[in-house]
Amino acid sequence: QVQLVESGGGLVQPGGSLRLSCAASESIFSNYHMYWYRQTPGKPREWVAVIATTGGTNYKDDVRGRFTISRENAKNTVYLQMNSLKPEDTAVYSCRAEPTGLGVNYWGQGTQVTVSS
């Protein structure tokens, strides 16, 4: 059973930056694509960014150019660097591990990001 633990959330002013971390309990990046999602109350969860097993990345349109997803294999950790934050980025951010083949998806518990002055 893979465990994912997010950290790095908090309160930041508009225009500020945060870096979120998603630490996996074992080495999985060669077999799992890693996603960041976010959710606000009353709205469906939406994907924000993905880093594939190949290292390729993709982003939701409204975060492209501001957010960067990366991973550090030696630490089994995926990061989401968030710059130029806006109030509408406020949400609970969660990471997900999606297997490349048959298998189970894993989710972290989420970390709150609040962008407010």
Side-chain angles (χ1 to χ4, degrees), residues 3-45:
Q3 293 184 334
L4 302 176
V5 179
E6 299 96 335
S7 61
L11 174 64
V12 63
Q13 292 186 343
S17 298
L18 281 176
R19 189 179 78 159
L20 306 183
S21 300
C22 170
S25 57
E26 57 189 80
S27 177
I28 62 172
F29 298 154
S30 60
N31 295 309
Y32 287 79
H33 306 306
M34 299 298 297
Y35 291 80
W36 281 100
Y37 283 77
R38 65 187 180 189
Q39 187 170 26
T40 55
K43 294 184 178 180
R45 184 159 48 192

Side-chain angles (χ1 to χ4, degrees), residues 56-86:
T57 60
N58 199 10
Y59 300 91
K60 188 175 181 290
D61 284 347
D62 63 354
V63 307
R64 185 174 288 112
R66 299 188 297 122
F67 291 9
T68 302
I69 188 171
S70 62
R71 69 187 184 206
E72 189 171 358
N73 292 341
K75 293 186 176 182
N76 298 330
T77 300
V78 173
Y79 303 100
L80 186 67
Q81 177 67 44
M82 305 187 295
N83 300 327
S84 302
L85 282 162
K86 304 174 181 179

